[in-house]
Amino acid sequence: MKRIALTFIGLSVSLAGFAQSKPGKDNAAIVIAARPLTYADSGLVRQLFFSALREKTVDNYKLATEFFNRVLQIDPANDASMFELANLEKAQNNPKASRVLLERAVTVNPDNEWYWVALADSYEKTNDIAKLENVFTELIQINPNKPDYYYDKANAYAIQKRYDEALKLFDKVEDLAGPSDDLLSNRQKIYLKQGDIKKAAADLEKAIASNPDQLRYYLMLADIYNSNNLNDKATAVLERAKKLDPNNGTLHLALADMYREKKNYEASFNELKIAFAVPDIDIEQKIKIIMGYSPQFPDPNARLSALELGKIIAATHPTNNKAFAIYGDMLLQNEKFKEAKEAYKKSIYLNSQAYIVHEQLVRLELGDNDFESAIRDGENALSYFPNQAWMNYLVGVAWMQKKNFSKAVGYLKNASSLEVQDNELLSQTYSALGDSYHSLNDNKNSDVAYDKALSYNPDNAFTLNNYAYYLSLRNEQLDKAARMSKHSNDLLPNTASFEDTYAWILFKQKDYAGAKLWIEKSLLHDKEASAVKTEHYGDIMYLLGNADAALKQWTKAKAQGGASAVLERKINEKKYLE
C-alpha cells in the first residue's frame, strides 16, 4: 500500500466507529442487520454478484452498481459487495460514499486486511489522521509481521506530534525489516522537530560507521550541521568524505556551499572548479550555478569567474551544445566577441535547434560589421526557424548594409508580418523599411513605413530624424519634418547629426538665424569633421549675407573630403547654389 507522507500537519478529528468500537456520542458503532438467506436467495446473490463483476470488467459502472446494490438488498451483510461498490464509487470520484461503504465492510468482516488497507487509503486522502491511526492498529493486529503498517502508524503519530511514540514504532520497523535510508530520514525529521541535533547527528555517525564508503551519509550529516548554523562541523564532515572520494563532484559542490557561507570565497570557487570538471555532475546544475553570477556582473571579477567556469564546462562536456552556448554567453559578457562567435558556432554545429544561439551569433556578426557572415548564418537559422521575426529583421538589416535594398525589404516585410506584440521590434522593422524604400526611391512606401514605425514608438529618435531629413530633401511637409526633428533632439540632445537635420529644415523654411544656431551646435558636437555639415554651415552663412564666411566654410568642406560638383561650383562662383 502507499505510505503516508511525514508532513507534520495538525488535525482534529473524531474516530469512526468500527466493529470493535464502543458506541458513544461521537463514536457510534455501525450495526449491520444480517438475515438468514434461503437457498433461492443465495443463488440469486451469487448470480447478481458475478453479473456485477462482469459489468464492472467492461466499465459498465452504472449496471454494476445496480447489481451490487441488489445484492445488498437481499443480503445486507454482504461485505464483498460493499467493497466492490466502494471501489466503484472511488473510480467515479465519490470518496465520501466509498468511505462509508468501506466502514460498513470492515464492520461486517473485521479480519479482512484488504478492506482496512482500502479504508486507510481513503482516510489518507482526507488527512483523517486519528482515524488512520486506528486503521493501522487494526492492520497490525491482523498482520503483525508486516513492517509497512508500523511505519505508516509511526508517521501518523509524527503528524500528530507524538514523536516518542513514532520513534518506538520506527524501532519496531527496523527490528522487522532492518535499517533503511527511509527510516533514517524520518528519524532525522523527528529529532530536528524536537530540536535534538545531537541525536540526529549520532544516528548519522552510526550510519557512517556501518557504511564508511557511503558518501550520502556524510552529505546528510553535513546538511544537518549546516542547517543549524554549525558550519565548521559541516565542513569538517565534508573534508572527511573528500578523503574517501576526492573526485566526487556532488561533494565538491557541497564544500563550495560551505566555504561560501563561511565567506571563504577563494576556497569556495576552487571547489566549484573541481566539481565543474566532473562529467557526472548534470550540466543543467552547472549552468544554473553560472547564471547565479549574473546579478553580480557589474563586478568584473564576477564576470571573470563565470567565464572560467564556462570554459571548464565546455572542456568537460565537449559534445553538449549547451556547454558551448553558456561559454559563448560568458565570453560575450567579458567582451571577448571573436571567441564568443566561435563558441556559438560550435554550439550550433552540435545542435542546430537552439534558436537563441543563432540569434546571439548573428547579432555579434552585425556588431562586427561582418554582414556577409550575418547573412549566411542568419539565413541558415531561418532554414530551421522561418517564423522568427527577430531573425528576419536582423537578416534584413544585414542586406541593407550590403546595399541590396530589395532583398532587405523582403526580410523586413516578413518580420513585420510575423510579429504582432513586440512594439519595439515593429518600430525598428518599419523604420528599416522606411530607409530601404527611400533608397529604392519609393517615397510613398517609405513615408507609410515611417508613419507605422512612429505609431508603434513615437519616441524612436532615429526614425524621427531620418523621416524628417528625407522630407526636407524633397522639400515636402516641412512643418511636420520640423516637429519630428525637434522631438528627436529633445529625446537625444547634443547629437550632431540630429542637430544638423534640424538646422537644414530651418534653412529650408528660410529661418536662417535659427539654422545658424543649430548648425553651430552640430559642428560643436561633431566628432567626425563632417564635410556635409560644414557645407551646410556655408550655405546658411551665405543666405545670412556673409559671403566671405560662406566661402571659408565651403573651402573647409572640400578639405574635409567634400567632392560634389555643386560644392565645387559654390567655391568657384562664390555663391550659394541649390
Side-chain angles (χ1 to χ4, degrees):
M1 65 176 291
K2 187 172 71 175
R3 291 178 172 176
I4 61 173
L6 185 54
T7 54
F8 298 102
I9 56 173
L11 292 173
S12 176
V13 293
S14 61
L15 289 172
F18 302 123
Q20 295 81 3
S21 302
K22 293 182 179 179
K25 181 179 179 182
D26 295 319
N27 192 29
I30 298 174
V31 179
I32 306 295
R35 65 181 179 83
L37 297 181
T38 66
Y39 180 79
D41 285 342
S42 296
L44 182 56
V45 163
R46 282 195 300 274
Q47 181 182 349
L48 287 169
F49 185 83
F50 287 113
S51 295
L53 288 178
R54 184 171 59 252
E55 296 302 327
K56 176 186 171 185
T57 302
V58 296
D59 294 333
N60 190 348
Y61 291 168
K62 183 178 180 182
L63 191 55
T65 300
E66 181 182 331
F67 285 156
F68 283 130
N69 277 320
R70 285 179 63 188
V71 170
L72 291 175
Q73 289 172 2
I74 301 168
D75 181 6
N78 192 298
D79 53 286
S81 290
M82 295 173 194
F83 180 70
E84 292 294 341
L85 272 173
N87 288 332
L88 286 172
E89 294 291 357
K90 178 182 176 182
Q92 296 174 89
N93 199 27
N94 192 354
K96 185 175 180 181
S98 175
R99 182 169 62 252
V100 170
L101 285 161
L102 290 169
E103 288 172 348
R104 291 173 62 191
V106 297
T107 302
V108 174
N109 188 353
D111 295 327
N112 189 302
E113 185 175 351
W114 302 113
Y115 294 176
W116 289 104
V117 168
L119 187 56
D121 182 66
S122 177
Y123 288 151
E124 179 191 345
K125 283 182 169 54
T126 57
N127 284 322
D128 226 335
I129 304 303
K131 291 182 181 180
L132 194 58
E133 175 198 335
N134 190 70
V135 170
F136 289 128
T137 299
E138 296 293 337
L139 283 167
I140 288 169
Q141 290 179 0
I142 293 170
N143 190 347
N145 294 318
K146 188 162 185 176
D148 285 357
Y149 298 151
Y150 296 93
Y151 189 97
D152 288 334
K153 186 175 180 180
N155 282 338
Y157 279 148
I159 290 170
Q160 297 174 87
K161 299 184 180 180
R162 295 159 65 179
Y163 299 133
D164 290 336
E165 294 171 89
L167 287 169
K168 288 178 182 177
L169 285 175
F170 283 140
D171 289 341
K172 180 65 176 177
V173 173
E174 187 166 346
D175 290 341
L176 290 170
S180 70
D181 284 356
D182 279 347
L183 275 175
L184 182 61
S185 176
N186 278 287
R187 281 187 178 124
Q188 294 296 307
K189 290 176 184 177
I190 290 177
Y191 291 143
L192 294 176
K193 283 288 181 181
Q194 292 176 321
D196 197 338
I197 307 303
K198 286 185 179 180
K199 279 189 177 179
D203 244 23
L204 284 165
E205 288 287 10
K206 180 181 175 183
I208 290 172
S210 300
N211 306 274
D213 296 331
Q214 294 298 319
L215 287 179
R216 66 181 182 278
Y217 298 129
Y218 295 88
L219 292 170
M220 289 170 69
L221 180 55
D223 186 55
I224 293 290
Y225 284 139
N226 186 49
S227 299
N228 290 276
N229 298 316
L230 299 169
N231 293 338
D232 288 340
K233 288 189 174 183
T235 304
V237 170
L238 292 174
E239 289 291 352
R240 283 165 54 195
K242 189 163 75 169
K243 292 176 183 177
L244 294 173
D245 188 356
N247 297 317
N248 186 283
T250 302
L251 185 57
H252 288 288
L253 287 177
L255 275 166
D257 289 340
M258 295 296 117
Y259 284 124
R260 185 177 62 253
E261 291 184 13
K262 294 170 71 173
K263 301 190 184 308
N264 188 342
Y265 299 118
E266 183 178 355
S268 175
F269 188 67
N270 286 336
E271 294 294 340
L272 274 182
K273 289 193 291 184
I274 296 170
F276 270 53
V278 176
D280 292 341
I281 297 296
D282 182 44
I283 191 171
E284 298 292 349
Q285 186 177 3
K286 294 175 181 176
I287 291 172
K288 185 177 180 181
I289 290 170
I290 289 182
M291 295 310 297
Y293 280 86
S294 58
Q296 307 169 50
F297 277 170
D299 179 359
N301 290 326
R303 294 198 299 271
L304 286 171
S305 295
L307 175 59
E308 189 171 355
L309 293 176
K311 185 176 182 180
I312 295 172
I313 285 184
T316 307
H317 303 275
T319 61
N320 192 309
N321 66 297
K322 293 180 181 179
F324 287 92
I326 191 68
Y327 184 35
D329 289 344
M330 295 309 104
L331 287 164
L332 181 59
Q333 288 294 331
N334 285 271
E335 299 183 359
K336 295 180 179 294
F337 303 127
K338 181 179 179 181
E339 295 92 333
K341 286 193 290 185
E342 293 307 311
Y344 289 140
K345 287 177 183 178
K346 178 70 172 179
S347 178
I348 293 168
Y349 171 77
L350 291 169
N351 182 1
S352 59
Q353 298 305 309
Y355 167 74
I356 190 62
V357 183
H358 289 277
E359 186 175 313
Q360 290 283 65
L361 174 61
V362 174
R363 285 179 179 275
L364 277 175
E365 290 167 340
L366 280 174
D368 284 346
N369 294 326
D370 186 0
F371 305 122
E372 289 187 5
S373 294
I375 290 168
R376 181 190 67 242
D377 293 327
E379 290 182 342
N380 177 58
L382 288 171
S383 70
Y384 299 105
F385 306 99
N387 296 325
Q388 286 291 339
W390 267 108
M391 188 58 72
N392 276 280
Y393 167 76
L394 295 172
V395 174
V397 168
W399 278 117
M400 281 179 61
Q401 298 301 321
K402 292 287 288 181
K403 309 298 183 186
N404 191 329
F405 298 107
S406 295
K407 280 201 171 184
V409 165
Y411 284 104
L412 293 169
K413 287 175 71 175
N414 286 344
S416 67
S417 67
L418 290 168
E419 182 55 59
V420 294
Q421 293 182 324
D422 188 340
N423 285 354
E424 185 57 32
L425 173 58
L426 286 166
S427 178
Q428 291 185 40
T429 298
Y430 280 110
S431 182
L433 273 169
D435 293 343
S436 297
Y437 281 128
H438 169 79
S439 297
L440 291 168
N441 297 315
D442 187 346
N443 293 331
K444 180 180 178 181
N445 278 321
S446 176
D447 290 354
V448 169
Y450 282 136
D451 284 328
K452 279 192 175 182
L454 293 173
S455 73
Y456 288 110
N457 181 7
D459 294 330
N460 188 325
F462 291 93
T463 302
L464 289 164
N465 176 75
N466 291 357
Y467 192 9
Y469 183 65
Y470 294 145
L471 285 175
S472 72
L473 289 180
R474 287 151 40 196
N475 211 29
E476 296 176 3
Q477 303 182 67
L478 292 178
D479 288 343
K480 178 179 180 179
R483 288 194 304 272
M484 291 190 297
S485 180
K486 181 61 169 63
H487 187 36
S488 72
N489 279 283
D490 292 339
L491 291 167
L492 292 177
N494 303 327
T495 304
S497 60
F498 291 5
E499 291 165 336
D500 175 56
T501 296
Y502 192 41
W504 186 247
I505 294 168
L506 293 173
F507 176 81
K508 288 280 191 173
Q509 292 179 313
K510 303 187 186 309
D511 180 0
Y512 303 125
K516 178 177 181 292
L517 174 67
W518 281 91
I519 196 64
E520 287 175 348
K521 285 185 179 183
S522 175
L523 290 169
L524 178 65
H525 298 132
D526 187 12
K527 305 258 193 278
E528 299 177 356
S530 166
V532 173
K533 295 182 183 68
T534 304
E535 183 180 352
H536 284 172
Y537 191 21
D539 296 344
I540 294 166
M541 295 307 294
Y542 185 87
L543 291 174
L544 280 170
N546 193 339
D548 290 340
L551 181 60
K552 180 179 178 181
Q553 294 303 319
W554 292 332
T555 304
K556 183 178 179 181
K558 181 178 179 180
Q560 290 173 335
S564 71
V566 173
L567 176 60
E568 192 69 35
R569 285 184 60 196
K570 288 176 185 177
I571 295 170
N572 292 335
E573 298 177 24
K574 298 182 177 58
K575 67 178 182 180
Y576 170 70
L577 299 167
E578 290 283 356

